[in-house]
Amino acid sequence: MENFTSRENCATIGKIPLPDRAVLERIIPDPSRLIFENIDPKYLSDKLGRLQGAAQAVAFPLSTAEVSALLGYAHEYGISVTPRGAGTNLVGSTVPVRGGIILDMSRMNRVLELDEDTMTVTVEPGILLQDLQAFVEDRGLFYPPDPGEKASTLGGNISTNAGGMRAVKYGVTRDYVRGLEIVMADGTVLTVGGKNVKDATGLSLKNLIVGAEGTLAVVTKCILRLIPKPEASVSVLVPYPDLKTGIGSVLSILRANANPTAVEFMERKVVALGERFLDIQYPRPDAGSYILLTFDGRKAEVEANVERVRSLALAQGALEYTILSDPRQAADIWKVRGALVNAVEAVSEQEPVDIVVPISKTEEYIRYINDLERDSGMQMVAFGHAGDGNVHLCVVRGDRTSEEWHTQLRANMEKAYARAYQLGGVTSGEHGVGLSKRHYFLRETAPANVAVMNRIKDALDPKHILNDQKSYIITGEK
């Protein structure tokens, strides 16, 4: 690899080397793709904008070769690199905590190949999820992973192993990643996986990268599995008198062999916030909770499954069973579900949480959260993916001072995460760990597991230049 500058010319603050502007301009000669002064704060934070880091440069590569050259240079001189995409992360994974270079992958956003014979699509990591889904659906194909933020990038989805509302039927991002092109911390380019359906050849390096939050390598190409587009899709809204009754019916629905695509739960109090935020009204405002279902597949199969669940839901206490046959009504109902975090944020600062517990423990965990809300006086509104136990909470600041907010939030989250682990749960289902959840993850995860993760980090990124001090990383500055 070309030696762009001497070590003596690499400026430093303390022990942390800073990037050399001349070197970056040599790697990326287009000045519109480099920022050195007056860096927009959005590049130094995540979607919430409450955690701010610092960096000396933002680079927008357009090719694997540019990414390789940037990482090779950064590795040689120990310069920190923070990868990012659309900036929709909610847990501080994109906050640069050690300065250095922001590696913004958002301009590498092309569809490179649609291979209908192998049912795969090859894309660059900066393509938005909504653009990929529209592209393949226009051609009669379907990319099932469906996290709530449709303006996220595929690279970001892969880095957090994003799940979303369809996970109960179709699985999560990992299940649709066939292959990756990745650039290691030292600039080495690897292809891991490919278009093959099966691969028992050595370690699955591909699966090591999925969910790693950009701490092990940078993704520059994604080979994704597709399926045929479902013939029909129908949504159903089921109001219940209370959350316990609604959540309690979910296991019966899942056992009924009706194969729902999505099974979402929402407390009435968070739906009310969404209604006001979007000026959309849900049926049955007297309900205590709602279960929102989707069924897709062949038309006859969908119709049969919708009716099978109707009798089951009504027998288990549902107030109504509303088939959303009007596309506009269905879109409005789902729009409210998709806007719940923003609806809460519009009222007050809040901490978004996405804890996971075993499906059978969902109702017990929500009951614990409601008790914690009552005892602590801190509002906690719940919704999420009832079909896979992924509980989303918005923990609301209200009128607390900054000191009160941070002290009380920490105390309540200590309890919330501890209870989830007691029930067999984990820290995050799809947001990742980043900075915000790192304390809870490290406290609750077996030290031996964390030690193995850190040995992998040390092996693949020995100088700790990639997204260091995030997620599982405990070894600190190298």
Side-chain angles (χ1 to χ4, degrees), residues 424-447:
V426 294
T427 308
S428 175
E430 53 195 10
H431 292 173
V433 174
L435 291 174
S436 302
K437 298 186 174 188
R438 189 164 176 264
H439 165 76
Y440 309 108
F441 168 78
L442 293 175
R443 190 194 67 177
E444 301 293 348
T445 304

Side-chain angles (χ1 to χ4, degrees), residues 113-160:
E113 180 192 38
L114 177 65
D115 186 341
E116 297 191 44
D117 292 333
T118 61
M119 297 284 283
T120 61
V121 63
T122 303
V123 300
E124 292 178 321
I127 191 170
L128 299 185
L129 172 65
Q130 60 195 14
D131 294 339
L132 171 65
Q133 289 176 331
F135 174 83
V136 299
E137 288 180 34
D138 284 345
R139 291 155 179 80
L141 298 167
F142 195 55
Y143 179 71
D146 195 41
E149 180 55 82
K150 307 302 186 288
S152 56
T153 64
L154 262 295
N157 291 173
I158 289 168
S159 293
T160 57

Side-chain angles (χ1 to χ4, degrees), residues 183 196 231 234 238 287-288 303 308 324 344 349 426 429 450 477:
V183 181
N196 299 299
E231 178 183 304
V234 174
V238 191
E303 291 173 348
R308 179 179 299 151
L324 304 174
V344 176
E349 180 180 341
V426 294
V450 176
E477 182 182 333

Side-chain angles (χ1 to χ4, degrees), residues 26-46:
R26 221 173 300 168
I27 296 171
I28 298 181
D30 178 357
S32 71
R33 295 193 285 116
L34 289 170
I35 303 173
F36 296 100
E37 287 90 22
N38 301 315
I39 295 175
D40 191 317
K42 71 181 182 181
Y43 295 115
L44 306 175
S45 189
D46 59 8

